[in-house]
Amino acid sequence: MIVVTCVYDREAAVDYAKEWALRGNPRFAVSNCLKFSESASFVSQCIYSGSGVMGKEERCGWYYKNSTDCGMAWRDDVFLYKFMLKNRQMGPRGILVNKNGVCVGDIVQLLSKNSCIISSAVITQIDGGQILTCAHGFNSFMRPVNSYCCTAVRYIHIVEVKI
C-alpha cells in the first residue's frame, strides 16, 4: 500500500485562525447538538485550512459535511485529541510534545485539575518563548497561553497529513 502525504501549510492554518478567531465562519455552522465544542470545531477548521484534507467519515472520524453531519473528532476536544494522536488514515496526525517542540499551526489543549480538556486553541505566534493562540469557545485573538485559567497545558505538534 502506498501512503501519500502532503505538506501541512502552517501559514494557511494561522491565517485562517486570525481571520475567524472573533467570529464564526458561516460555512462551518455550529450545531445545536448537546455535544458540540466550539473550540474543537474551530481548531479543526484551522487544521483543515492548512491541510485541505478531510478525514474518514466514521463515528469518531474527523470530517465535516454540515452542522448535523460531522465526526466526533471535529466537534469534541477529547475525540480531537485521540484522533490526532492515533490517526493512521487520511487526514492529519500529531504527536504530544512539550512547549519547546511546537510550531505555529499546532494545537494547544487547556486542561483542568482532573485532566479534563477545557478547550483547544491554535498556536498563531511564538515570540521569545511566549506562545500566542486563537480560539473559539471563549473567543481569543493572539492570546498568550499563560493567560488562560487552567491547571495544565497539552501541546500537539502536527507531523503529517495523509491524502
Side-chain angles (χ1 to χ4, degrees), residues 13-24 38-40 42-43 46 108 110 118-125 131-150:
V14 168
D15 288 346
Y16 183 95
K18 289 178 179 178
E19 179 178 351
W20 294 101
L22 300 177
R23 59 194 166 101
E38 289 184 50
S39 67
F42 176 72
V43 167
C46 296
V108 173
L110 311 167
I118 299 169
S119 188
S120 299
V122 173
I123 297 172
T124 49
Q125 184 175 331
I131 297 173
L132 304 178
T133 65
C134 289
H136 276 195
F138 31 106
N139 294 358
S140 303
F141 179 80
M142 304 300 282
R143 183 174 176 176
V145 167
N146 62 7
S147 73
Y148 288 102
C149 184
C150 61

Side-chain angles (χ1 to χ4, degrees), residues 14-77:
V14 168
D15 288 346
Y16 183 95
K18 289 178 179 178
E19 179 178 351
W20 294 101
L22 300 177
R23 59 194 166 101
N25 182 342
R27 179 175 174 216
F28 297 103
V30 175
S31 172
N32 291 326
C33 295
L34 178 63
K35 190 68 171 166
F36 202 104
S37 163
E38 289 184 50
S39 67
S41 177
F42 176 72
V43 167
S44 292
Q45 293 168 44
C46 296
I47 295 168
Y48 176 64
S49 184
S51 68
V53 178
M54 286 278 181
K56 293 281 187 179
E57 296 178 20
E58 53 194 39
R59 182 182 174 279
C60 297
W62 183 79
Y63 73 94
Y64 181 95
K65 284 187 177 180
N66 58 53
S67 65
T68 59
D69 187 3
C70 54
M72 287 297 292
W74 191 278
R75 58 189 167 117
D76 180 88
D77 296 289

